[in-house]
Every structure is written in C-alpha cells, then in structure tokens.
Amino acid sequence: MNRRTKTAAVAVALLLTAGAAGAATASAPGEGRGGAPREAAALTGAAWLDRDPATRQAVHFSFDAHLAWADRRDPLAATGTFRYAHTQEDETYTAVVEVDCLATGGPSATVTGIVTETNVPGLERKRVGVSVFDDGKRDRLGYSWLASSPLEDEVPPCNAAAPFERTRRGGGDFRVLPWVYEDAAR
C-alpha cells in the first residue's frame, strides 16, 4: 500500500469513527429521548474543513460533547470527547481530547479538553479549545492554536478562537444544542 493510499485509508477510518461518535443526537432541554437523561447543552457531529486542495491538506474534526441537565449551571462538568486529524503531504497528525468544558449559545459552541492520545510529541496532557458555528448549511470552526501554541501556552477552559474556517460542502455537519442555564419553566 503506497503512502497516498494509506493516508486515504486513515482519513476514511477517521471519518467512519467520527460518524459513529456523532451519531448520538442531543435531546431538547427537558425532553429526554427514550428515557435518556436530559441535556443542557451538546456539541456533536463531524466535518472536514474546507482547505485548498493545492495545499494537500485535509483537516477533520468530530465532537461528542455533552452537559447534563443536572449540571446546567456548571459548563466545567461537561463530558465527552472530540477528535481531530490534520494530514499534510504524507503525514497525519491526530489527537483525542477529553472534554473539560462546554458552553453553547444559539448556534455557537466552545469546547475545551485535555489531549489524552496523540502522535504529536509534547501535546499529550495539554488543553486545547475549539469553537463551532452551526449554520445548518456550511458550518464554521476555530481553534485555540490559531494564536497560541498548546505546547507552550496555557489554554483556559472554554477558550478558543472565533470560528473562522468553513467546513467543506457535503463534508459533514456539526450540531449545537444551545445551553440552557436556568430551568425551562422560567
């Protein structure tokens, strides 16, 4: 198997893994589905970023982040994971991140977490952050390493750059369940 074929195989495997992770759908606040716990916020789904093919780059993100209804006043109680993979030329850099904060509002979400698995030297146990804008057609995404290096700088919880990159048309979809801070009766 040549390098290009291996890279394509890794990309397909990541997409399939992300699709499975993003397959869970978030419940509306106060309406647990099938007896599932209610959620106050969620960020799920997967997508490829829209990079110029001439750069020979492929960037993929997937999210499965949730804030339970019982924890609605504490975004630091969020759970789940997110993953990303960045292929440049013939190298693919990956990371699995354990969520430590999730804040959503309207169609926007910011999530941070600690890297638990990676092939990037020095990145394990570092916090990274990602923001998403879910417009329903062509989502956007931003990341904390736009302006600072996660290898050198401390990223605070729930902190990331604005969602400045677009996702590829037909390349996936992120779904944001807006955060509900107070009881629905209010």
Side-chain angles (χ1 to χ4, degrees):
M1 186 182 289
N2 67 31
R3 289 184 97 138
R4 183 170 269 157
T5 305
K6 284 182 188 175
T7 300
V10 168
V12 169
L14 286 169
L15 182 59
L16 292 173
T17 301
T25 57
S27 308
E31 296 179 5
R33 231 183 231 164
R38 296 186 296 182
E39 291 187 301
L43 171 59
T44 58
W48 294 91
L49 297 187
D50 188 16
R51 294 285 175 96
D52 182 347
T55 65
R56 297 185 63 201
Q57 292 187 45
V59 183
H60 186 264
F61 282 83
S62 65
F63 299 94
D64 188 20
H66 305 272
L67 181 64
W69 183 258
D71 295 322
R72 67 189 170 278
R73 291 184 179 92
D74 184 9
L76 297 173
T79 61
T81 58
F82 64 93
R83 301 169 183 269
Y84 59 93
H86 183 171
T87 300
Q88 282 183 282
E89 300 293 326
D90 293 326
E91 295 290 327
T92 300
Y93 305 98
T94 63
V96 177
V97 182
E98 184 177 327
V99 170
D100 68 2
C101 189
L102 172 66
T104 66
S108 298
T110 301
V111 62
T112 55
I114 305 298
V115 176
T116 58
E117 297 175 39
T118 184
N119 62 351
V120 178
L123 188 57
E124 197 159 350
R125 293 188 295 277
K126 300 289 186 174
R127 179 179 288 116
V128 294
V130 179
S131 64
V132 167
F133 180 76
D134 174 12
D135 80 351
K137 296 177 187 171
R138 196 159 180 201
D139 299 339
R140 299 181 77 83
L141 183 138
Y143 34 81
S144 58
W145 53 95
L146 169 69
S148 63
S149 167
L151 300 175
E152 301 168 9
D153 302 317
E154 180 75 25
V155 175
C158 272
N159 200 323
F164 60 94
E165 287 207 54
R166 292 187 307 181
T167 59
R168 187 184 307 156
R169 288 187 196 280
D173 187 30
F174 301 129
R175 290 169 303 285
V176 174
L177 175 65
W179 185 30
V180 177
Y181 178 76
E182 293 296 327
D183 290 327
R186 198 175 106 132

